[in-house]
């Protein structure tokens, strides 16, 4: 119910600090910083691309933190626990939804300026494809999504790693 006490607040603050440290490190080219992650890490990668305009490239596999209210209603992934909380505390629905809105990539996607590659498993029960697409469709930067029709929460697995490496090479090894 408090955005400053919410878990993702601390995760995202730490990730922003890590990006700042990376930019300041002598061995790192600050113009070629990429963010990558899967599931919660994929949601965090999208958020970092939106919140830190120095990010040059983003790859997000089966990203979480997308259309959180729908995930609560569907009880997908860890959001079933939020649904349980709200069932027992219906007076907290507005506060919980307000807090989650600060961390929902639906509300950050339009701020992404770097190229983005997203993977989605069309059979993913944890990060359902409609929630991933909801955020992806709001990205106005150059973007690409790779669907894995029978993929679940693996986002294409090893095959997708090859797709990501080609994406990174395309943008960083010109």
């Amino acid at each position: 119910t408090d955005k400053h006490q919410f878990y993702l607040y601390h995760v995202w603050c730490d990730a922003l600090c890590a990006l700042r440290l990376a930019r300041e490190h002598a061995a790192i080219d600050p113009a070629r910083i990429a963010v990558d992650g899967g599931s919660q890490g994929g949601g965090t990668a999208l958020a970092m691309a939106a919140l830190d305009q120095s990010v040059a490239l983003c790859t997000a596999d089966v990203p979480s933190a997308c259309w959180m209210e729908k995930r609560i209603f569907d009880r997908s992934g860890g959001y079933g626990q939020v649904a349980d909380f709200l069932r027992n505390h219906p007076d907290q629905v507005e506060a919980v939804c307000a807090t989650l809105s600060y961390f929902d990539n639906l509300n950050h996607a339009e701020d992404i300026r770097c190229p983005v590659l997203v993977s989605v498993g069309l059979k993913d029960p944890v990060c359902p494809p409609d929630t991933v697409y909801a955020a992806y469709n709001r990205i106005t930067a150059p973007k690409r999504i790779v669907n894995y029709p029978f993929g679940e929460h693996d986002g294409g697995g090893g095959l997708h790693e090859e797709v990501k490496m080609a994406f990174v090479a395309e943008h960083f090894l010109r």
Side-chain angles (χ1 to χ4, degrees):
T1 59
D2 178 350
K3 67 184 176 195
H4 294 105
Q5 297 301 316
F6 185 52
Y7 173 72
L8 284 179
Y9 172 82
H10 300 285
V11 170
W12 290 11
C13 285
D14 287 350
L16 287 167
C17 287
L19 285 169
R20 185 175 69 193
L21 287 171
R23 276 194 312 275
E24 295 172 0
H25 195 283
I28 295 176
D29 180 351
R32 293 171 26 127
I33 293 176
V35 291
D36 172 63
S39 193
Q40 181 178 301
T44 300
L46 288 175
M48 294 307 100
L51 297 173
D52 186 331
Q53 296 299 307
S54 73
V55 171
L57 199 65
C58 174
T59 60
D61 297 332
V62 295
S64 186
C66 297
W67 200 4
M68 292 171 151
E69 287 185 22
K70 178 146 187 350
R71 293 196 58 203
I72 293 168
F73 283 106
D74 291 349
R75 302 183 56 80
S76 61
Y79 290 86
Q81 295 173 351
V82 179
D84 291 342
F85 174 82
L86 292 175
R87 181 180 14 195
N88 295 321
H89 303 281
D91 58 313
Q92 297 294 314
V93 170
E94 187 174 325
V96 167
C97 288
T99 294
L100 291 177
S101 72
Y102 286 97
F103 305 94
D104 194 325
N105 280 308
L106 280 178
N107 301 323
H108 298 288
E110 293 174 357
D111 295 326
I112 297 173
R113 299 287 173 256
C114 67
V116 177
L117 174 68
V118 175
S119 74
V120 61
L122 298 184
K123 301 279 187 187
D124 189 346
V126 179
C127 296
D130 56 344
T131 65
V132 174
Y133 267 99
Y136 175 82
N137 288 337
R138 290 188 178 186
I139 298 170
T140 58
K143 62 185 179 180
R144 178 177 170 214
I145 193 163
V146 181
N147 296 303
Y148 293 94
F150 295 94
E152 294 187 7
H153 198 55
D154 59 352
L159 174 63
H160 190 68
E161 291 302 314
E162 293 177 24
V163 173
K164 286 198 306 187
M165 291 300 103
F167 181 78
V168 171
E170 172 189 340
H171 291 281
F172 282 170
L173 300 178
R174 295 179 192 187

